[in-house]
Amino acid sequence: MIKANNIHKNYGNLHVLKGVDLHIKKGEIISIVGASGAGKTTLLQILGTLDRVSKNNNSQLVINNTDINKLSEKQLSKFRNEQLGFIFQFHQLLPEFTAIENVCIPAYIKKTPKAEAEKRASEILDFLGLSHRYHHKPAELSGGEQQRVAVARALINNPEVVYADEPSGNLDSEAAENLHQLFFKLRDQFGQTFVIVTHNQELANMADRKLVMVDGKIVD
């Protein structure tokens, strides 16, 4: 599903990623751990096509049989919208929109008809136990509910891969545990691949594989 070879990333003179190699199979749940500054989030952003690798003739990033380095910015945006989903620590929900409207945004970008997008959003919110929260705005939801809305938004376009950056870092222990269990339920139900950056060792250890980053490289 994901093949990354010799991935480098520089920000000026700062060499953040130093030749990362990574192969992830379809349907795997992978956790990436390491100290702050090890390069975890930078790697996740590159794997999620939110950032580009630094120019290196030997680097390669292939996601679902697509060579990412060969895509134009327009092609990349379309690929990202249709095949990838993202879950962030602070939800990134738009405060002026309701839960169902927030969930539908990626579908609207994909030009999915409104009725079809809302039907799909309703199905996912129902699956996540939020059928009574369709028309509530983020400020009216608990932290755990907001994060589940963010999960629904990530799933709306049936992505092949879901990337999560500290997804439970802003939740209490009960909500975090529920979210962790949800990832595995989603994988079993829909077959998505999950790549999760986390400091939560319980979540990291639940994954099919735990990868440890040290100083810009994967050491385990």
Side-chain angles (χ1 to χ4, degrees):
M1 175 55 65
I2 301 174
K3 295 181 181 179
N5 296 316
N6 199 30
I7 299 298
H8 289 261
K9 185 62 182 180
N10 296 79
Y11 295 103
N13 294 325
L14 183 61
H15 196 180
V16 179
L17 299 180
K18 304 174 181 177
V20 173
D21 294 317
L22 179 63
H23 291 189
I24 299 173
K25 299 175 183 177
K26 181 175 176 57
E28 272 195 299
I29 295 182
I30 301 297
S31 64
I32 302 175
V33 302
S36 295
K40 305 183 302 297
T41 293
T42 300
L43 177 60
L44 193 77
Q45 289 174 338
I46 287 176
L47 295 177
T49 75
L50 297 172
D51 200 356
R52 294 274 196 174
V53 298
S54 293
K55 291 189 180 299
N56 183 309
N57 292 332
N58 296 318
S59 67
Q60 183 185 47
L61 176 59
V62 177
I63 303 174
N64 198 25
N65 299 315
T66 298
D67 189 336
I68 300 303
N69 294 339
K70 293 182 179 179
L71 298 181
S72 68
E73 289 301 323
K74 184 176 182 179
Q75 291 170 328
L76 189 60
S77 294
K78 185 174 187 292
F79 176 86
R80 187 186 305 122
N81 172 249
E82 294 180 355
Q83 299 209 35
L84 309 180
F86 300 90
I87 304 167
F88 303 100
Q89 179 176 352
F90 295 104
H91 323 309
Q92 307 293 342
L93 301 177
L94 297 179
E96 66 270 28
F97 293 134
T98 64
I100 197 166
E101 288 169 340
N102 267 285
V103 173
C104 285
I105 288 172
Y108 293 155
I109 293 172
K110 190 181 177 182
K111 302 189 185 307
T112 302
K114 183 178 179 181
E116 182 181 337
E118 290 184 348
K119 181 176 183 293
R120 169 68 177 157
S122 298
E123 290 171 351
I124 301 172
L125 288 170
D126 289 353
F127 179 81
L128 298 179
L130 292 171
S131 58
H132 60 306
R133 290 288 193 245
Y134 288 176
H135 305 296
H136 289 70
K137 293 183 178 180
E140 301 171 304
L141 304 174
S142 70
E145 288 172 336
Q146 290 181 49
Q147 192 62 298
R148 278 184 281 158
V149 172
V151 171
R153 181 185 57 192
L155 297 174
I156 187 70
N157 286 341
N158 297 310
E160 294 290 337
V161 187
V162 177
Y163 298 94
D165 191 2
E166 297 290 356
S168 58
N170 202 36
L171 301 177
D172 62 42
S173 57
E174 181 179 359
E177 171 64 21
N178 290 338
L179 182 66
H180 300 165
Q181 295 295 339
L182 176 61
F183 289 148
F184 290 86
K185 185 177 180 180
L186 289 169
R187 188 267 302 273
D188 294 341
Q189 184 88 5
F190 301 112
Q192 268 112 358
T193 303
F194 283 81
V195 183
I196 305 168
V197 163
T198 183
H199 281 105
N200 187 302
Q201 287 300 317
E202 181 180 356
L203 172 57
N205 292 333
M206 290 168 65
D208 299 322
R209 282 193 290 150
K210 180 172 73 171
L211 306 178
V212 180
M213 287 198 74
V214 176
D215 194 26
K217 294 183 177 180
I218 292 176
V219 297
D220 186 16

Coordinates of all heavy atoms in Angstrom, one line a residue, residues 64-121:
N64 N -0.6 3.2 -2.9 CA -1.7 2.6 -3.7 C -1.3 2.5 -5.2 O -2.1 2.9 -6.1 CB -3.0 3.2 -3.5 CG -4.2 2.4 -3.9 OD1 -4.1 1.1 -3.9 ND2 -5.3 3.0 -4.2
N65 N -0.1 2.2 -5.5 CA 0.4 2.0 -6.9 C 0.6 3.4 -7.6 O 0.7 3.4 -8.9 CB -0.4 1.1 -7.7 CG -0.4 -0.3 -7.1 OD1 0.6 -0.9 -6.7 ND2 -1.6 -0.9 -7.0
T66 N 0.5 4.5 -6.9 CA 0.7 5.8 -7.6 C 2.1 6.4 -7.1 O 2.3 6.5 -5.9 CB -0.4 6.8 -7.2 OG1 -1.6 6.2 -7.6 CG2 -0.2 8.1 -7.8
D67 N 2.9 6.7 -8.1 CA 4.2 7.4 -7.8 C 4.0 8.8 -7.5 O 3.7 9.6 -8.3 CB 5.1 7.2 -9.0 CG 6.6 7.7 -8.7 OD1 6.8 8.5 -7.7 OD2 7.5 7.2 -9.4
I68 N 4.0 9.2 -6.2 CA 3.7 10.5 -5.7 C 4.6 11.6 -6.3 O 4.2 12.7 -6.6 CB 3.7 10.6 -4.2 CG1 2.7 9.6 -3.6 CG2 3.4 12.0 -3.7 CD1 1.3 9.8 -4.1
N69 N 5.9 11.2 -6.4 CA 6.9 12.2 -6.9 C 6.6 12.7 -8.4 O 7.2 13.7 -8.8 CB 8.3 11.7 -6.8 CG 8.7 11.5 -5.3 OD1 8.1 12.1 -4.4 ND2 9.7 10.6 -5.1
K70 N 5.8 11.9 -9.1 CA 5.5 12.2 -10.5 C 4.3 13.1 -10.7 O 3.9 13.4 -11.8 CB 5.5 11.0 -11.3 CG 6.8 10.2 -11.4 CD 6.7 9.0 -12.3 CE 8.1 8.3 -12.4 NZ 8.0 7.1 -13.3
L71 N 3.5 13.3 -9.6 CA 2.3 14.0 -9.7 C 2.5 15.6 -9.7 O 3.3 16.1 -8.9 CB 1.3 13.7 -8.6 CG 0.9 12.2 -8.5 CD1 -0.1 12.0 -7.3 CD2 0.2 11.7 -9.8
S72 N 1.7 16.3 -10.5 CA 1.7 17.7 -10.4 C 0.9 18.1 -9.1 O 0.3 17.3 -8.5 CB 1.0 18.3 -11.6 OG -0.4 18.0 -11.6
E73 N 1.0 19.4 -8.8 CA 0.3 19.9 -7.6 C -1.2 19.6 -7.7 O -1.9 19.2 -6.8 CB 0.6 21.3 -7.3 CG 2.0 21.6 -6.8 CD 2.3 20.9 -5.5 OE1 1.5 20.8 -4.7 OE2 3.5 20.4 -5.4
K74 N -1.8 19.9 -8.9 CA -3.2 19.6 -9.1 C -3.6 18.2 -9.0 O -4.6 17.8 -8.4 CB -3.6 20.2 -10.5 CG -5.1 20.1 -10.8 CD -5.5 20.8 -12.1 CE -7.0 20.7 -12.3 NZ -7.3 21.4 -13.6
Q75 N -2.7 17.3 -9.6 CA -3.0 15.9 -9.5 C -2.8 15.4 -8.1 O -3.6 14.5 -7.6 CB -2.0 15.1 -10.4 CG -2.2 15.3 -11.9 CD -1.0 14.8 -12.7 OE1 0.1 14.8 -12.3 NE2 -1.4 14.3 -13.9
L76 N -1.9 16.0 -7.4 CA -1.6 15.6 -6.0 C -2.8 16.0 -5.1 O -3.2 15.2 -4.2 CB -0.3 16.2 -5.5 CG 0.2 15.8 -4.1 CD1 0.5 14.3 -4.1 CD2 1.4 16.6 -3.7
S77 N -3.4 17.1 -5.3 CA -4.5 17.6 -4.5 C -5.7 16.6 -4.7 O -6.4 16.3 -3.8 CB -4.9 19.0 -4.9 OG -3.9 19.9 -4.5
K78 N -5.9 16.2 -6.0 CA -7.0 15.3 -6.3 C -6.8 14.0 -5.6 O -7.7 13.4 -5.0 CB -7.1 15.2 -7.8 CG -8.3 14.3 -8.3 CD -8.4 14.4 -9.8 CE -9.7 13.7 -10.3 NZ -9.7 12.2 -10.0
F79 N -5.5 13.5 -5.7 CA -5.2 12.2 -5.1 C -5.4 12.2 -3.6 O -6.0 11.3 -3.0 CB -3.7 11.8 -5.5 CG -3.2 10.6 -4.8 CD1 -3.4 9.3 -5.4 CD2 -2.6 10.6 -3.6 CE1 -3.0 8.2 -4.8 CE2 -2.1 9.4 -3.0 CZ -2.3 8.2 -3.6
R80 N -5.0 13.3 -3.0 CA -5.1 13.4 -1.5 C -6.5 13.4 -1.1 O -6.9 12.8 -0.2 CB -4.4 14.7 -1.1 CG -4.3 14.9 0.4 CD -3.7 16.3 0.8 NE -2.4 16.5 0.1 CZ -2.1 17.5 -0.7 NH1 -3.1 18.3 -1.0 NH2 -1.0 17.6 -1.2
N81 N -7.4 14.2 -1.8 CA -8.8 14.3 -1.5 C -9.5 13.0 -1.7 O -10.4 12.6 -0.8 CB -9.4 15.4 -2.4 CG -10.9 15.4 -2.3 OD1 -11.7 15.1 -3.2 ND2 -11.4 15.9 -1.1
E82 N -9.2 12.2 -2.7 CA -9.9 11.0 -3.0 C -9.4 9.8 -2.3 O -10.2 8.8 -2.1 CB -9.9 10.8 -4.5 CG -10.6 11.9 -5.3 CD -10.6 11.6 -6.8 OE1 -9.9 10.7 -7.2 OE2 -11.3 12.4 -7.5
Q83 N -8.1 9.7 -1.9 CA -7.6 8.5 -1.4 C -7.0 8.5 0.0 O -6.7 7.5 0.6 CB -6.5 8.0 -2.4 CG -7.0 7.7 -3.8 CD -6.2 6.6 -4.5 OE1 -5.7 5.7 -3.9 NE2 -6.0 6.8 -5.8
L84 N -6.9 9.7 0.5 CA -6.2 9.8 1.9 C -7.2 10.6 2.8 O -7.9 11.5 2.4 CB -4.9 10.6 1.8 CG -3.9 10.1 0.7 CD1 -2.7 11.0 0.7 CD2 -3.6 8.7 0.9
G85 N -7.1 10.2 4.1 CA -7.9 10.8 5.1 C -6.9 11.3 6.3 O -5.9 10.6 6.5
F86 N -7.3 12.3 7.0 CA -6.4 12.9 8.0 C -7.2 13.2 9.3 O -8.3 13.7 9.3 CB -5.8 14.2 7.5 CG -5.0 14.0 6.2 CD1 -5.6 14.2 5.0 CD2 -3.6 13.7 6.3 CE1 -4.8 14.0 3.8 CE2 -2.9 13.5 5.2 CZ -3.5 13.7 3.9
I87 N -6.5 12.8 10.4 CA -7.1 13.1 11.7 C -6.0 13.8 12.5 O -4.9 13.3 12.6 CB -7.5 11.8 12.5 CG1 -8.5 11.0 11.6 CG2 -8.1 12.1 13.8 CD1 -8.7 9.6 12.1
F88 N -6.3 15.0 13.1 CA -5.3 15.7 13.8 C -5.7 15.8 15.3 O -6.8 15.6 15.7 CB -5.2 17.2 13.2 CG -4.9 17.2 11.7 CD1 -5.9 17.4 10.8 CD2 -3.6 17.0 11.3 CE1 -5.7 17.4 9.4 CE2 -3.4 17.0 9.9 CZ -4.4 17.2 9.0
Q89 N -4.7 16.2 16.1 CA -4.9 16.3 17.5 C -6.0 17.3 17.9 O -6.8 17.0 18.8 CB -3.6 16.7 18.2 CG -3.7 16.8 19.7 CD -2.3 17.1 20.4 OE1 -1.3 17.1 19.7 NE2 -2.4 17.4 21.7
F90 N -6.0 18.4 17.2 CA -7.0 19.5 17.6 C -8.2 19.6 16.7 O -8.7 20.6 16.5 CB -6.2 20.8 17.7 CG -5.2 20.8 18.8 CD1 -3.9 20.7 18.5 CD2 -5.6 20.9 20.1 CE1 -2.9 20.7 19.5 CE2 -4.6 20.9 21.2 CZ -3.3 20.8 20.9
H91 N -8.5 18.4 16.1 CA -9.8 18.3 15.3 C -9.8 19.1 14.0 O -10.2 18.5 13.0 CB -11.0 18.6 16.2 CG -11.0 18.2 17.6 ND1 -10.6 16.9 18.0 CD2 -11.2 18.9 18.7 CE1 -10.7 16.9 19.3 NE2 -11.0 18.1 19.8
Q92 N -9.5 20.4 14.1 CA -9.5 21.2 12.9 C -10.9 21.3 12.3 O -11.1 21.3 11.1 CB -8.5 20.7 11.8 CG -7.1 20.5 12.3 CD -6.4 21.8 12.7 OE1 -6.9 22.9 12.3 NE2 -5.4 21.7 13.5
L93 N -11.9 21.3 13.1 CA -13.3 21.4 12.7 C -13.6 22.9 12.5 O -13.1 23.8 13.2 CB -14.3 20.8 13.7 CG -14.2 19.3 14.0 CD1 -15.2 18.9 15.0 CD2 -14.3 18.5 12.7
L94 N -14.4 23.2 11.5 CA -14.8 24.6 11.3 C -15.9 25.0 12.2 O -17.0 24.4 12.2 CB -15.2 24.8 9.8 CG -14.1 24.6 8.8 CD1 -14.6 24.8 7.4 CD2 -12.9 25.5 9.0
P95 N -15.7 26.0 13.1 CA -16.7 26.3 14.2 C -18.1 26.7 13.7 O -19.0 26.6 14.4 CB -16.0 27.4 15.0 CG -15.0 28.0 14.0 CD -14.6 26.9 13.1
E96 N -18.1 27.3 12.5 CA -19.4 27.9 12.1 C -20.3 26.8 11.4 O -21.5 27.1 11.1 CB -19.2 29.0 11.1 CG -18.5 28.7 9.8 CD -17.0 28.7 9.8 OE1 -16.5 28.5 10.9 OE2 -16.4 29.0 8.7
F97 N -19.8 25.6 11.2 CA -20.5 24.6 10.5 C -20.9 23.5 11.5 O -20.3 23.2 12.5 CB -19.7 23.9 9.4 CG -19.4 24.9 8.2 CD1 -18.2 25.0 7.7 CD2 -20.5 25.6 7.7 CE1 -17.9 25.8 6.6 CE2 -20.2 26.5 6.6 CZ -18.9 26.6 6.1
T98 N -22.1 22.8 11.2 CA -22.5 21.7 12.1 C -21.6 20.5 11.8 O -20.8 20.4 10.9 CB -24.0 21.3 11.7 OG1 -24.0 20.8 10.4 CG2 -24.9 22.5 11.9
A99 N -21.9 19.5 12.7 CA -21.1 18.2 12.5 C -21.2 17.6 11.1 O -20.2 17.3 10.5 CB -21.6 17.2 13.6
I100 N -22.5 17.5 10.6 CA -22.6 16.9 9.3 C -22.0 17.7 8.2 O -21.5 17.2 7.2 CB -24.1 16.5 9.1 CG1 -24.2 15.5 7.9 CG2 -24.9 17.8 8.8 CD1 -25.6 14.9 7.8
E101 N -22.1 19.1 8.4 CA -21.5 19.9 7.4 C -20.0 19.8 7.4 O -19.4 19.8 6.3 CB -21.9 21.4 7.6 CG -23.4 21.7 7.3 CD -23.8 23.0 7.8 OE1 -23.2 23.6 8.7 OE2 -24.9 23.5 7.3
N102 N -19.4 19.7 8.5 CA -17.9 19.5 8.6 C -17.5 18.2 8.0 O -16.5 18.1 7.2 CB -17.5 19.5 10.1 CG -17.0 20.9 10.6 OD1 -15.9 21.3 10.2 ND2 -17.9 21.5 11.4
V103 N -18.3 17.2 8.2 CA -18.0 15.9 7.6 C -18.1 15.9 6.1 O -17.3 15.2 5.4 CB -18.9 14.8 8.2 CG1 -18.7 13.4 7.5 CG2 -18.7 14.6 9.7
C104 N -19.0 16.6 5.6 CA -19.2 16.6 4.1 C -18.2 17.4 3.3 O -18.1 17.3 2.1 CB -20.6 17.2 3.8 SG -22.0 16.1 4.2
I105 N -17.4 18.3 4.0 CA -16.5 19.2 3.2 C -15.6 18.4 2.2 O -15.6 18.8 1.1 CB -15.7 20.0 4.2 CG1 -16.6 21.1 4.9 CG2 -14.6 20.7 3.5 CD1 -16.0 21.8 6.0
P106 N -14.9 17.4 2.6 CA -14.1 16.7 1.6 C -14.9 16.1 0.4 O -14.4 16.1 -0.7 CB -13.4 15.6 2.4 CG -13.4 16.0 3.8 CD -14.7 16.8 4.0
A107 N -16.1 15.7 0.7 CA -17.0 15.2 -0.4 C -17.4 16.3 -1.3 O -17.5 16.1 -2.5 CB -18.2 14.5 0.3
Y108 N -17.7 17.4 -0.8 CA -18.0 18.6 -1.6 C -16.8 19.0 -2.5 O -17.0 19.3 -3.7 CB -18.5 19.8 -0.8 CG -19.8 19.6 0.0 CD1 -20.0 20.3 1.1 CD2 -20.7 18.7 -0.5 CE1 -21.2 20.1 1.8 CE2 -21.9 18.5 0.2 CZ -22.2 19.3 1.3 OH -23.4 19.1 2.0
I109 N -15.6 18.9 -1.9 CA -14.4 19.2 -2.7 C -14.3 18.2 -3.9 O -13.9 18.6 -5.0 CB -13.2 19.2 -1.8 CG1 -13.2 20.4 -0.8 CG2 -11.9 19.3 -2.6 CD1 -12.2 20.3 0.3
K110 N -14.7 17.0 -3.6 CA -14.7 15.9 -4.6 C -15.8 16.1 -5.6 O -15.9 15.4 -6.6 CB -14.8 14.6 -3.9 CG -14.5 13.4 -4.8 CD -14.7 12.1 -4.0 CE -14.5 10.9 -4.9 NZ -14.7 9.6 -4.2
K111 N -16.7 17.1 -5.4 CA -17.9 17.4 -6.2 C -18.9 16.3 -6.1 O -19.6 16.0 -7.1 CB -17.4 17.6 -7.7 CG -16.5 18.8 -7.8 CD -16.2 19.1 -9.3 CE -15.2 20.2 -9.4 NZ -15.4 21.4 -8.6
T112 N -19.0 15.6 -5.0 CA -20.0 14.7 -4.7 C -21.4 15.4 -4.6 O -21.4 16.5 -3.9 CB -19.8 13.9 -3.4 OG1 -18.5 13.2 -3.6 CG2 -20.9 12.9 -3.1
P113 N -22.4 15.0 -5.2 CA -23.7 15.7 -5.0 C -24.1 15.8 -3.5 O -23.8 14.9 -2.7 CB -24.7 14.8 -5.8 CG -23.9 14.1 -6.8 CD -22.5 13.9 -6.1
K114 N -24.7 16.9 -3.2 CA -25.0 17.2 -1.8 C -25.8 16.1 -1.1 O -25.5 15.6 0.0 CB -25.8 18.5 -1.6 CG -26.1 18.9 -0.2 CD -26.8 20.2 -0.1 CE -27.1 20.6 1.4 NZ -27.8 21.9 1.5
A115 N -26.9 15.6 -1.8 CA -27.7 14.5 -1.2 C -26.9 13.3 -0.9 O -27.0 12.6 0.2 CB -28.9 14.2 -2.1
E116 N -26.0 12.9 -1.9 CA -25.2 11.7 -1.7 C -24.2 11.9 -0.6 O -23.9 11.0 0.2 CB -24.5 11.4 -3.0 CG -23.6 10.2 -3.0 CD -22.9 9.9 -4.3 OE1 -23.4 10.5 -5.4 OE2 -21.9 9.2 -4.3
A117 N -23.6 13.1 -0.5 CA -22.6 13.4 0.5 C -23.2 13.3 1.9 O -22.7 12.7 2.9 CB -22.0 14.7 0.3
E118 N -24.4 13.9 2.1 CA -25.1 13.9 3.3 C -25.5 12.5 3.8 O -25.5 12.2 4.9 CB -26.3 14.9 3.3 CG -25.8 16.4 3.2 CD -27.0 17.3 3.3 OE1 -28.2 16.8 3.1 OE2 -26.8 18.5 3.4
K119 N -25.9 11.7 2.8 CA -26.3 10.3 3.1 C -25.1 9.6 3.6 O -25.2 8.9 4.7 CB -26.9 9.7 1.9 CG -27.3 8.2 2.1 CD -28.0 7.7 0.8 CE -28.5 6.2 1.0 NZ -27.4 5.3 1.3
R120 N -24.0 9.7 3.0 CA -22.8 9.0 3.4 C -22.3 9.5 4.8 O -22.0 8.7 5.7 CB -21.7 9.2 2.4 CG -20.3 8.8 2.8 CD -20.1 7.3 2.9 NE -18.7 7.0 3.2 CZ -18.4 5.9 3.8 NH1 -19.3 5.0 4.2 NH2 -17.1 5.6 4.1
A121 N -22.4 10.9 5.0 CA -22.0 11.4 6.3 C -22.9 10.9 7.4 O -22.4 10.6 8.5 CB -22.0 13.0 6.2

